[in-house]
Every structure is written in structure tokens, then in C-alpha cells.
Amino acid sequence: MKAEFTAIIEAALEGGFWAICPEVPGANGQGETIEDAKNNLREAIEFLLEDRRDDILRGLPDDVIQDKVMVG
């Protein structure tokens, strides 16, 4: 899945950086560099979206229609 999300990045008081994604509540990352924080945020977004999808798909009836939709 490819998509573009917003990364809000701020310097942490204790050093390094932290990042959040307003489009995916609960997704956050931190790191020593901005790039580290963004990479950790990307991994968190991927994990959360995959986990939410798997949770929804669990137990659906066999006759459910599953398709793709493009956004943006």
C-alpha cells in the first residue's frame, strides 16, 4: 500500500526528535535524528493500519465483497 501522510516533527527536550501523524491516531515515532523519527513513524503507521485491517477482516462472512478504493 502506498499513501502519503503528514509527519509533525519536534525536537524532544531530552534530545533527539519525536514525530506524530495526525491522520493515524496513535502513530508516533522518535529518534536521534529527524530521519530516525520519520522512519520510526512510518513503521508505526504501517503496523497500526495493518493491525486495524486484520482486526476488521477477522470473522467476516464468506460472501463479503472485498475491493480496493483509491483516495487522493
Side-chain angles (χ1 to χ4, degrees), residues 17-57:
F17 297 88
W18 64 273
I20 60 169
C21 177
E23 294 94 347
V24 184
N28 59 75
Q30 63 183 34
E32 290 298 315
T33 66
I34 291 173
E35 205 57 39
D36 287 342
K38 284 174 60 177
N39 284 333
N40 288 329
L41 177 61
R42 178 186 47 77
E43 290 174 0
I45 292 168
E46 289 173 348
F47 173 78
L48 283 170
L49 293 178
E50 184 177 303
D51 184 62
R52 289 174 184 169
R53 181 192 62 226
D54 291 347
D55 193 44
I56 294 288
L57 296 178

